Amino acid sequence: GAVVSQHPSRVICKSGTSVKIECRSLDFQATTMFWYRQFPKQSLMLMATSNEGSKATYEQGVEKDKFLINHASLTLSTLTVTSAHPEDSSFYICSASSAADTQYFGPGTRLTVL
Amino acid sequence: GQQLNQSPQSMFIQEGEDVSMNCTSSSIFNTWLWYKQDPGEGPVLLIALYKAGELTSNGRLTAQFGITRKDSFLNISASIPSDVGIYFCAGADQGGSEKLVFGKGTKLTVNP
């Protein structure tokens, strides 16, 4: 149980384009989903927290207009990187939790912006 | 943002050896979590600790929630090559379904 998937696993895009990453909880209902960013050899950095049906809460320094988060259902959250630039290249990881349980992480999405 | 102090940063050991790593915090947490991350993958939950003083095992892994609620350790016994990866500790104020504070990770290398 407690499986979280992400799609795509890796994406390469041109500078200026937008990229959407999906995070799904496959076998449980996720009241809360989290989006993290991880640079090489570093720990996970929380970008935002989203609760189903409400606006995401962004961490300090994270541009909410650049990283659009939607949590439309209890099993799906999406992160859209708008007008991506090379400095947005990173490993993006989501996690999901139900009210009664801890967070389970997705396998991550490697974004490369050319 | 806030981070936990995790040590050591890296470890190089021989297969069969035991390993110990720990995390400390200046503030109290009510939940301690240990995750393992393989290259190019997301973290996988190894052990969750919810009570001060709790000692929990998962196969060859054992973790303890410090009595002061400001620290936790993870032990791996009889290491094998597939133990290679980065181990992260994380603290939470409640059960872990809310925002986590992560350590910087311990990179484990196991030589066969």
Side-chain angles (χ1 to χ4, degrees):
Chain A
V3 179
V4 177
S5 70
Q6 273 184 250
H7 178 79
S9 58
R10 56 177 64 232
V11 56
I12 301 173
C13 69
K14 291 183 180 178
S15 186
T17 60
S18 294
V19 174
K20 181 186 281 188
I21 302 170
E22 291 186 350
C23 177
R24 293 181 186 271
S25 57
L26 299 184
D27 53 0
F28 66 102
Q29 294 190 320
T31 50
T32 307
M33 286 186 168
F34 304 83
W35 286 96
Y36 295 83
R37 185 172 179 177
Q38 188 178 33
F39 291 106
K41 299 184 180 180
Q42 293 192 21
S43 189
L44 287 77
M45 183 190 82
L46 180 65
M47 299 174 67
T49 302
S50 75
N51 292 300
E52 185 262 340
S54 60
K55 287 185 179 179
T57 302
Y58 290 81
E59 294 299 301
Q60 194 171 10
V62 178
E63 300 174 61
K64 62 181 179 182
D65 294 330
K66 180 166 187 63
F67 298 100
L68 301 178
I69 292 172
N70 184 281
H71 190 166
S73 78
L74 285 172
T75 59
L76 173 65
S77 176
T78 60
L79 167 68
T80 301
V81 183
T82 61
S83 187
H85 288 96
E87 58 266 29
D88 299 323
S89 298
S90 191
F91 192 51
Y92 293 86
I93 310 173
C94 72
S95 70
S97 69
S98 63
D101 203 359
T102 189
Q103 292 179 41
Y104 295 91
F105 286 82
T109 296
R110 172 75 58 193
L111 170 63
T112 303
V113 185
L114 303 176
Chain B
Q2 184 184 6
Q3 267 200 326
L4 302 176
N5 297 313
Q6 186 172 349
S7 64
Q9 260 190 334
S10 60
M11 302 182 75
F12 297 84
I13 62 170
Q14 292 297 124
E15 183 176 358
E17 289 182 355
D18 298 343
V19 170
S20 186
M21 58 192 80
N22 71 83
C23 268
T24 59
S25 169
S26 57
S27 54
I28 287 171
F29 288 107
N30 292 310
T31 298
W32 283 89
L33 305 164
W34 285 93
Y35 291 90
K36 182 191 178 203
Q37 186 177 28
D38 290 329
E41 300 287 334
V44 173
L45 181 65
L46 299 174
I47 293 180
L49 302 159
Y50 299 108
K51 196 174 171 183
E54 179 182 357
L55 184 71
T56 297
S57 293
N58 177 7
R60 293 178 296 107
L61 278 60
T62 302
Q64 183 153 34
F65 190 146
I67 279 289
T68 65
R69 291 192 283 158
K70 291 184 178 181
D71 64 310
S72 177
F73 72 74
L74 174 71
N75 286 343
I76 305 173
S77 63
S79 59
I80 59 178
S82 61
D83 290 334
V84 164
I86 301 178
Y87 293 78
F88 290 100
C89 62
D93 289 331
Q94 296 170 35
S97 60
E98 73 291 10
K99 186 173 170 178
L100 300 179
V101 178
F102 278 91
K104 290 190 175 182
T106 295
K107 183 176 180 181
L108 178 63
T109 302
V110 180
N111 295 315

